[in-house]
Each structure stands twice: as C-alpha cells, then as structure tokens.
Amino acid sequence: MNGPGRLRFTGETAASVADRRRRERHVAWIASAPAVALLALLLFGPALAVAVFSFTDWQVGASSWRFLGLDNFRALFADRLFWKALANTAFYVAIVVPGTVILGLVVALLIEGRPALRSFYRTVHFLPVMSTMAAMAIVWGTMLHPTIGLVNRLLAEFGISGVNWLRDERAVLPALAVIGIWQSFGFAMVLFVAGLKAIPQSLYDAAAIDGADGIVDRLRTVTLPMLGPVTMFVLIVTATRAFEVFDTVRVLTQGGPNFASDVLLHRLYTESFDFLRMGYGAGLTVVYLAIVMLLTLAQARVLDRRVHYT
C-alpha cells in the first residue's frame, strides 16, 4: 500500500478509536451517575440543610417555621456563652496539638531506637486510639476523683495536695486536655514511625561524614526536615480532631463548672437538643464549620512553605 493510503487508513483508525473512547466515557458517566448523585447527596445534603435551617426558627416536631434571615447569627455573636465556648476550644486545642505532636514524635523515636519489644510498645501506645472515648471518660472520671482518685492519691504520696480536677474552673480544661493527648498521641506515633522508616539510611551516613554524628545533630539536620510532610499531616489532623472534642466534656463535666469547660460542639449540642433551638444550633454549626475550614486552610498554607518534600 502506498504512503497516502497508509496515512488515510491510520487516520480513519485513530478517529474510530477516539469515537469508541468517547462512547465508553459516556457509558461510564451514565453508569456511575446514581452513585455519584447519592454520594453528593450524603456529603453535601446535610451541610446544605443545616445552612438553610440556620436562617429559620425551626424546631424538632414543629409543624411550621419562619424565615429569620440573619437573626440567629446576630444572636450568636452577641451571646457571651458562644465566645466563652470558642475561647475554651482554642485553649484546649493550644494544649492538645503541641502535646500530641511532641509526645507522639518522642515515643516514635524511642520505639524505633529500641528494637526490643518494638511491636508490643506500638500496640500499647495505639490502644487509646481504638478505645471508646465515652467509656474511657468514665475511667478517667474515677482516676480524677478528688478523694478516691488515683491521681490525687499519687500526688499525696509526694506530699502534694490534689485538687478537684473536674470541678475547679482553673484545672478542668487542662485535665480534659491531658485526656485528649492520651487519646490522640498513639495515632501521631504511628504516623511518625512510618515517616522514620521512610528516611533513607544514606542521608544519615552523609550527615555523619559532614560531622553531624550526634543524636541532636542527626535529629536537627536529617530527621526533622525529612519528617516535614508527616508532621504537617499530623498537625492538621490533630488540630481538626481537637476542635471536635465533645464526648469527654459531655460525660465528665457537662460544660461546667460555670461553663469553664464548655466547648463549641458541646454548646452546639446543648442549644440544639437540650434547649431544642434547632435554628440557632444550625447557625452555630455553620460558624463552627467555617472556623475549622479557615484554620485548616491557613495552617496547611503556612506549614506547606516550611516542608521539604524531597
């Protein structure tokens, strides 16, 4: 076959292949459309419903509701309990996030530095992540009891007088933050262990040749920079989970004493299900989601500039 014939034959084949692929894409979209629609409905439907309810005075069981516009948001920003809950949540996050990251990194370094019983230690430290926090909160409530609690009994052995951890306005949030760190640091530890295993030994050998053969030098020049992506992921996930604190507050303190441990999710639950102010609670949900999204995006953008990916 001559040259032009081959070109014409090749062009016709390419066109038919492109047409077949186009038909396959159409069939694929048609076949996946129900699943995509259902997934979109499950993901975005509740958020859209909450956004709509935030502009109304809707209550559970009510036969009718009124459109209020921005009244719920005006009342929310004028409510001192909202600002109290926001400040408590920020204080809780400020303790839990660095505590979780630092403790998770230290434990990961210790586990990887001691080969003996490595799997056992990983499992033990990861157990709090798998435990039901509502049940563990009851155990912690017993440990923090002012008279029979293990914590105050241990302090008494050293001559230190304990406090009523869950009924003292100054101690309740730090006590809840310790529980949050205990629950979360195992997850951070597992991620840091995976990050440590991904660091090539050749980098440590090169650092030793350059004179960085001490533990601190190896940590500063190789380990921490190479753990940058893992650290950023751990920070974002830990901060998001810390903002979601609810179960320990609900079980142990119910937001008390004097709203000293009231956090955003507990305030949302109280307004929506205790006081049945669903429209107001929906407005609080919208504000809560906006705060979490903005902080997560800002955190990711700031940390991304300081991370080494290669």
Side-chain angles (χ1 to χ4, degrees), residues 3 21-22 28 34 51 71 81 85 94 117-119 151 171 191 205 244 274 276:
R21 291 178 177 176
R22 191 179 303 107
D71 288 354
L81 294 181
L117 300 177
R118 182 179 295 173
S119 298
V151 174
L191 294 177
D205 297 336
E244 296 173 353
D274 289 347
L276 299 179

Side-chain angles (χ1 to χ4, degrees), residues 26-166:
H26 291 164
V27 172
W29 275 110
I30 294 173
S32 61
V36 173
L38 181 61
L39 184 62
L41 180 63
L42 292 176
L43 289 176
F44 302 108
L48 180 62
V50 167
V52 172
F53 290 148
S54 66
F55 296 102
T56 69
D57 63 348
W58 178 73
Q59 295 183 1
V60 175
S63 58
S64 62
W65 45 271
R66 293 183 301 112
F67 180 78
L68 300 179
L70 297 176
D71 288 354
N72 285 327
F73 295 97
R74 295 191 186 98
L76 177 65
F77 290 122
D79 188 358
R80 69 174 186 86
L81 294 181
F82 164 74
W83 294 107
K84 178 71 172 177
L86 179 61
N88 289 340
T89 305
F91 182 74
Y92 178 89
V93 172
I95 298 176
V96 170
V97 172
T100 299
V101 173
I102 294 173
L103 186 60
L105 177 59
V106 170
V107 172
L109 291 172
L110 291 176
I111 290 176
E112 288 303 300
R114 298 288 299 272
L117 300 177
R118 182 179 295 173
S119 298
F120 171 76
Y121 290 130
R122 290 177 189 167
T123 303
V124 169
H125 291 302
F126 192 72
L127 281 177
V129 181
M130 299 183 293
S131 62
T132 303
M133 201 56 219
M136 289 296 100
I138 298 175
V139 177
W140 274 99
T142 303
M143 293 176 59
L144 296 174
H145 193 276
T147 56
I148 64 173
L150 179 62
V151 174
N152 280 352
R153 285 183 174 270
L154 289 176
L155 292 176
E157 293 295 327
F158 296 96
I160 302 175
S161 59
V163 299
N164 193 345
W165 297 100
L166 301 178

Side-chain angles (χ1 to χ4, degrees), residues 92 95-96 100 128 133 136-141 143-144 166 172-185 245 247-249 252-253:
Y92 178 89
I95 298 176
V96 170
T100 299
M133 201 56 219
M136 289 296 100
I138 298 175
V139 177
W140 274 99
M143 293 176 59
L144 296 174
L166 301 178
V172 61
L173 265 184
L176 294 175
V178 169
I179 300 175
I181 294 173
W182 171 82
Q183 183 192 22
S184 302
F185 89 92
V245 59
D247 39 14
T248 52
V249 175
L252 294 177
T253 67

Side-chain angles (χ1 to χ4, degrees), residues 105 109 196 199 204 215 217-228:
L105 177 59
L109 291 172
L196 290 172
I199 300 177
Y204 290 108
I215 295 178
D217 292 334
R218 288 159 58 94
L219 183 66
R220 179 176 56 84
T221 59
V222 178
T223 304
L224 291 181
M226 293 303 296
L227 286 178

